[in-house]
Amino acid sequence: MMRRHLGPASPSGAAAVFRKELVDALRDRRTLATVLLSSVLMGPLVLLLLSSLVASLESRAEQRVVVVQGIEHAPTLRNFIERQTFRVEAAPPDYEARLRDARLGDPVLVVGEEFERQLAAGDAPEVLLVSDSSNRQAEAGAGRLARLLDAFSRERGTLVLALRGVPGSLLQAIDVEERDLASTRSRAAQFTSLLPFFVIMAVLYGALNAALDTTAGERERGSLEPLLTNPAAPLALVIGKWGAVAAVSMLIALLSVLSFLPAQWLIRSETLRSLFLFGPREALGFVVVLLPLAGSLSALMMAVAIRCRSFKEAQANNTVVILAVSLLPLLTLFNQGGEKPWFVWLPALAQHTLMNRVLRGESLSAMDVLAPLVVGVLLTGVCLGYIARRLRAAAVR
């Protein structure tokens, strides 16, 4: 193949490639489907599922049910439970199997036949609280049931001391007052901490098809080599292609964030609706944090795909990028010492950390925004330089 003169990376050449690649990307049905599913529908779907979960937990808490086996042996305990506005229900015979299979969402209290006799004799009757730590609903109710039994024990102790003329305050050596330092936004972030992860994955998968199609896809179709015969320099081609992929990725980031604004009307839980405050300020914080990630991920996936000769091969090789982006935010789960300063210097982890700060109502400093921006620019530059070298070598051949 005769090599034509490759001129410098002129802005006009890059702009022409950008327009051509952007039009091709938006014509692609896979890209359009990804834009619609991962951005426009993601916010409403995630908030709807989250609100359904919170609403179900609230509904179960409002039922105030205590599941007991052998409650007929403890009328005193039953009286106390009902005075606390709880409803007593008999445990099914196969309650252990139901707890293991998560078919029973309440812990089971097992009362022995000698409960009342031991209680009248001044002994401490033993009860068994049965739960399953792998059953989240039952495990959550176990703490509530344990506190209820502790209140019953204190009441009985106070009555015994009162009958003997001893003040019941002797049972409580100190008065404990609780103070929760978490703000309303921080409590809401406990439920919405997964939202940044879904947004990051939407940006990643949104850029994937466009990044693969403009590199390995063109090579597979045989249109990449003829493109290199144009007078434009490889760097101009790379910048134009990357600009189109990054524009698609940034569009998905913008639509994903904006979708949370109207999606708040779909929240079924009144508690979550009052806690989750996501307005224009929070949306702006999300967008500022996500744009550098969208640009750098587009360049990184293109750099991986330019080495491949087919779309499927590029897709398989980019699973490493997808895996890394999905695992980096999980470092916050395994780190028990709180956020570290180096979190903001790792792509994906930085965005996950900063977006959670926005959800907690914290303000972002200039360094918080500048650190991921610098990393994103450096990563983008390295990847684009590598792609340009690969194209230059192909043009020489």
Side-chain angles (χ1 to χ4, degrees):
M1 180 176 64
M2 181 181 298
R3 180 191 170 197
R4 301 182 61 179
H5 174 69
L6 299 179
S10 64
S12 59
V17 176
F18 168 78
R19 288 193 296 269
K20 178 255 183 190
E21 294 292 343
L22 185 59
V23 171
D24 290 344
L26 294 180
R27 284 177 179 173
D28 185 24
R29 293 182 179 180
R30 288 178 301 183
T31 302
L32 286 178
T34 304
V35 170
L36 293 175
L37 294 177
S38 65
S39 58
V40 178
L41 299 180
M42 190 203 64
L45 180 61
V46 171
L47 283 183
L48 184 61
L49 294 176
L50 183 61
S51 64
S52 299
L53 174 62
V54 176
S56 65
L57 294 177
E58 290 176 341
S59 176
R60 182 171 295 274
E62 291 174 356
Q63 290 177 359
R64 299 179 67 84
V65 174
V66 177
V67 181
V68 188
Q69 184 186 64
I71 191 62
E72 65 275 6
H73 307 308
T76 305
L77 178 61
R78 179 176 192 134
N79 176 267
F80 174 82
I81 293 174
E82 292 177 344
R83 281 192 284 114
Q84 308 306 312
T85 69
F86 283 86
R87 188 175 75 255
V88 178
E89 289 187 359
D94 58 340
Y95 66 88
E96 291 187 358
R98 288 174 176 264
L99 284 172
R100 292 192 189 98
D101 299 339
R103 288 179 294 155
L104 181 61
D106 295 289
V108 176
L109 180 65
V110 180
V111 180
E113 296 181 359
E114 300 295 321
F115 183 91
E116 284 295 330
R117 186 190 64 79
Q118 293 175 343
L119 193 67
D123 298 330
E126 183 176 319
V127 295
L128 181 63
L129 201 162
V130 183
S131 183
D132 190 322
S133 58
S134 63
N135 186 335
R136 293 187 177 181
Q137 292 182 340
E139 187 66 13
R144 181 186 62 187
L145 183 54
R147 291 190 296 270
L148 187 64
L149 294 174
D150 183 62
F152 172 76
S153 179
R154 289 198 307 271
E155 182 182 90
R156 292 295 303 179
T158 301
L159 290 175
V160 171
L161 291 178
L163 291 174
R164 298 180 180 180
V166 180
S169 59
L170 292 178
L171 289 177
Q172 189 170 355
I174 58 175
D175 290 329
V176 180
E177 293 185 3
E178 296 183 1
R179 184 177 63 172
D180 189 358
L181 297 178
S183 63
T184 302
R185 303 290 293 275
S186 298
R187 291 195 295 272
Q190 295 178 355
F191 297 100
T192 59
S193 58
L194 288 177
L195 295 185
F197 177 79
F198 285 111
V199 174
I200 291 174
M201 297 309 294
V203 172
L204 174 65
Y205 281 102
L208 181 61
N209 282 326
L212 302 188
D213 187 71
T214 194
T215 49
E218 284 206 358
R219 173 167 289 174
E220 185 178 27
R221 294 189 298 268
S223 58
L224 184 60
E225 285 75 10
L227 184 63
L228 296 176
T229 62
N230 291 319
L235 184 58
L237 297 177
V238 172
I239 293 176
K241 287 176 173 292
W242 168 79
V245 177
V248 173
S249 182
M250 292 177 182
L251 175 63
I252 291 177
L254 180 62
L255 294 178
S256 299
V257 172
L258 294 180
S259 67
F260 287 111
L261 295 175
Q264 296 178 72
W265 295 101
L266 299 176
I267 297 179
R268 297 168 50 189
S269 169
E270 294 295 333
T271 302
L272 183 60
R273 182 178 298 175
S274 62
L275 293 177
F276 182 62
L277 304 176
F278 192 89
R281 177 180 174 273
E282 289 74 21
L284 178 62
F286 270 42
V287 171
V288 169
V289 168
L290 284 171
L291 291 185
L293 180 67
S296 59
L297 285 181
S298 301
L300 180 59
M301 289 187 290
M302 288 177 63
V304 174
I306 197 65
R307 301 169 55 253
C308 306
R309 295 192 173 275
S310 67
F311 190 94
K312 288 186 177 180
E313 182 185 354
Q315 197 171 32
N317 288 349
N318 266 289
T319 55
V320 178
V321 178
I322 297 173
L323 182 63
V325 173
S326 60
L327 289 181
L328 280 172
L330 297 181
L331 290 177
T332 57
L333 299 178
F334 299 105
N335 179 64
Q336 300 299 320
E339 294 181 2
K340 304 297 183 183
W342 53 268
F343 279 11
V344 297
W345 295 96
L346 277 181
L349 178 60
Q351 281 71 27
H352 186 270
T353 301
L354 296 179
M355 284 190 287
N356 270 310
R357 289 186 190 176
V358 172
L359 289 177
R360 294 196 299 266
E362 301 177 11
S363 58
L364 302 181
S365 65
M367 181 57 66
D368 293 335
V369 177
L370 188 61
L373 177 61
V374 171
V375 173
V377 171
L378 291 177
L379 180 60
T380 301
V382 171
C383 292
L384 294 185
Y386 172 76
I387 300 171
R389 286 199 302 271
R390 298 283 300 195
L391 292 183
R392 192 176 295 112
V396 170
R397 292 197 298 268

